[in-house]
Amino acid sequence: MRLLRGGVCVAAGIVLVAVVGCTGGDGADPAPTDVPTSTSAATRTPTPSLSPSPSPAADPVSIPGLIQREHTGSNLRLGNVLTRTTVYTRYAVTYEANGLTISGIMNIPTGKGPFPALVLAHGYIDPDVYTTGRGLAREQDLLARNGYVVLHTDYRNHATSDDDPDNDVNLRLGYTEDVIGAVLALRSSSRPEIDGDRIGLLGRSMGGGVAYNTLVVEPGLVDAAVVFAPVSSRPAENVDRFQRSEGDPIVAEIEAAHGTPEQNPKFWREVSPITYADRLTEPLLIHHGTADDTCPITWSRQTTAAFKAAGKNVQLKEYEGEAHAFGPQWPASMDTTMAFFAQHLR
C-alpha cells in the first residue's frame, strides 16, 4: 500500500545504513536453476497512522531531512535484450531518479501481464569493477521464473549510471534515493507488463540497509520487503567494521563533515533507521545465517527486536551454520521469500 501526497505518489530518500556494506557473495552467485512457480492470495491491511514528519530545517543528510524531500522516479526505458529464455526476457534499462540517470537490468516474464514487480538492491561491490546487473543473479533469475518483473538497480556511480561526487561523504544516501526512484519509475511507466499496485523490495547485505532506510523514510512505498544478511541499522557500527578498521581515508572526510559519534551523537542517531522504527508499516522478512562473519547475526537480532518493540510485523529467519553468501540453505530461504511475497503481492 502507498501513501499519497497531494494526490501523487512520491517517496523520500535516506542516508544509507551501510557506508561501505558487506562484500561477500554478491558477485559470485551459483548458476540459476529452474524452480516451480509459487502463488497465493492475500488480504492487505490498512496503513496505520504515522509519526509526524520532521520539523523544518532538518539536516538533509539525515532521516528527518530526507523524509521532507519529495523524490522523483520516471522515464523507465528498455534498452538492448541481454538474454532471452522461454520464461523471461532480460533487458538493459535506465530510469531517472532525482535528476540522475540510473542504469540496471529488468527481467520481464513471458506471458500476459500485468505482473507484480520487485526492486532488487544489491550489496557492496567496488564500483571500479562493477558491471551492470551484477549481484543477486540467482534471485534475478528465480523471481522472474516465478512471475515477477525484476528491476535490479545499479545505483549511482555504478556501471553506466550518472555520477554523484558527494555520495561517499554523505554516507551513500544516494543509493536509497536510487531504489526509491526505481519503485516510482515502475509505477509511472504505464507498461502493460507491470502492475504498479503490487511492488516489493528485496535487498542483500548493504542493500538490506537500503531496504531498512526506504521502509522508514517512505512508509507505503512498497507492499513488502525481504532482506538477506543485512548490515547494521546503526551506521556508526558499519563505519567501524567496514571502513575504520581498514583505514579507509573517506572516514576522515565523513567525520570532518558530520563529526564523530562522540562529537555529534544527534547526527548519528538521526541517520539510523532504527531510531524511526515506529514509521515502518509494511511486513518485513529478514534472513540471516548464524555463521555470517561479514555481517554478524547480532545486528539482525537487535534490529528485529527494535522493530518488534515498536509493534511492527518483522520476522527474522535464522539459518544454522549458513555464511554471508548463503549456500546450502539458499533454496529454502528463497522458498520462504517467494511464499512471503506471494502472500503480500499476489
Side-chain angles (χ1 to χ4, degrees):
M1 293 182 291
R2 281 154 289 282
L3 303 179
L4 302 180
R5 294 181 188 163
V8 180
C9 220
V10 297
I14 177 189
V15 178
L16 179 63
V17 171
V19 177
V20 176
C22 305
T23 58
D26 278 332
D29 291 329
T33 56
D34 289 336
V35 291
T37 301
S38 171
T39 59
S40 68
T43 300
R44 298 177 184 173
T45 56
T47 301
S49 59
L50 304 177
S51 57
S53 294
S55 59
D59 185 344
V61 186
S62 71
I63 292 175
L66 290 165
I67 287 171
Q68 294 176 337
R69 183 177 182 185
E70 295 202 355
H71 288 239
T72 60
S74 62
N75 202 25
L76 178 66
R77 293 182 179 272
L78 273 61
N80 294 334
V81 172
L82 302 176
T83 307
R84 196 183 300 276
T85 75
T86 58
V87 289
Y88 68 84
T89 303
R90 174 182 169 97
Y91 296 88
V93 298
T94 58
Y95 64 94
E96 304 299 316
N98 287 2
L100 296 182
T101 298
I102 306 300
S103 62
I105 65 95
M106 178 180 284
N107 292 345
I108 299 180
T110 303
K112 182 177 175 57
F115 303 100
L118 298 172
V119 172
L120 270 56
H122 65 79
Y124 180 78
I125 302 171
D126 185 346
D128 289 339
V129 302
Y130 180 90
T131 54
T132 192
R134 183 171 172 181
L136 293 167
R138 298 176 296 180
E139 291 81 1
Q140 293 172 26
D141 176 83
L142 178 61
L143 293 166
R145 290 178 181 275
N146 278 267
Y148 292 96
V149 170
V150 175
L151 174 55
H152 179 282
T153 178
D154 289 333
Y155 305 136
R156 62 193 63 193
N157 301 336
H158 289 67
T160 61
S161 297
D162 285 347
D163 290 335
D164 176 1
D166 297 325
N167 198 47
D168 286 346
V169 172
N170 287 339
L171 300 183
R172 297 195 172 111
L173 76 102
Y175 296 166
T176 302
E177 295 183 81
D178 299 337
V179 166
I180 291 171
V183 176
L184 296 177
L186 283 169
R187 191 174 305 138
S188 65
S189 71
S190 300
R191 294 195 62 87
E193 309 96 332
I194 301 169
D195 186 341
D197 289 328
R198 294 185 294 164
I199 301 179
L201 174 61
L202 185 148
R204 169 170 166 69
S205 195
M206 182 186 72
V210 174
Y212 290 157
N213 298 337
T214 301
L215 292 169
V216 301
V217 168
E218 190 63 24
L221 179 70
V222 297
D223 296 288
V226 175
V227 298
F228 280 81
V231 294
S232 175
S233 55
R234 294 176 174 83
E237 290 183 326
N238 296 310
V239 172
D240 285 345
R241 187 171 184 87
F242 302 117
Q243 290 187 279
R244 196 185 310 279
S245 64
E246 299 295 326
D248 188 343
I250 196 66
V251 174
E253 296 183 47
I254 292 169
E255 292 179 346
H258 307 297
T260 66
E262 294 74 25
Q263 293 166 338
N264 192 356
K266 179 176 183 289
F267 169 81
W268 292 94
R269 184 173 62 253
E270 290 186 350
V271 297
S272 172
I274 213 61
T275 302
Y276 303 90
D278 67 309
R279 291 182 57 83
L280 178 70
T281 58
E282 279 61 58
L284 170 64
L285 173 62
I286 303 171
H287 298 288
H288 215 130
T290 62
D292 190 335
D293 59 4
T294 303
C295 294
I297 194 171
T298 302
W299 287 349
S300 286
R301 289 170 177 165
Q302 292 170 344
T303 297
T304 300
F307 276 127
K308 284 186 174 294
K312 304 307 175 180
N313 181 5
V314 178
Q315 306 172 51
L316 171 60
K317 296 284 290 183
E318 298 189 9
Y319 297 82
E320 186 66 32
E322 194 64 76
H324 186 64
F326 272 71
Q329 298 180 77
W330 182 80
S333 73
M334 288 305 296
D335 286 345
T336 302
T337 293
M338 288 187 293
F340 179 80
F341 279 137
Q343 178 184 359
H344 297 291
L345 272 70
R346 295 292 189 175

